[in-house]
Amino acid sequence: MSRGDELRELANDLSRAAERARRLGLRTTAYLLSMALVEVREAGAATDAGDDDGAA
């Protein structure tokens, strides 16, 4: 599995976890998971673009 694939899988997991935290009323947890999701998506975009200096 490539790094890009792993990052996409992680983004999916984080998205599901953030949604579950929102439904459970865990606002701080949902916020933190959402921020992690942003970082992972940025790293994935950098990987897709071939930029090895991306966040991660």
Side-chain angles (χ1 to χ4, degrees):
M1 182 178 280
S2 73
R3 183 169 193 254
D5 291 337
E6 289 178 348
L7 288 169
R8 278 186 285 282
E9 184 177 327
L10 179 56
N12 288 334
D13 292 343
L14 286 168
S15 180
R16 283 190 300 269
E19 181 56 35
R20 183 167 290 156
R22 277 188 211 98
R23 280 186 272 134
L24 292 171
L26 303 172
R27 292 181 295 183
T28 302
T29 300
Y31 173 78
L32 292 172
L33 288 166
S34 296
M35 292 299 100
L37 180 57
V38 168
E39 291 292 323
V40 169
R41 284 183 175 160
E42 287 177 357
T47 298
D48 290 344
D51 178 13
D52 290 336
D53 293 333

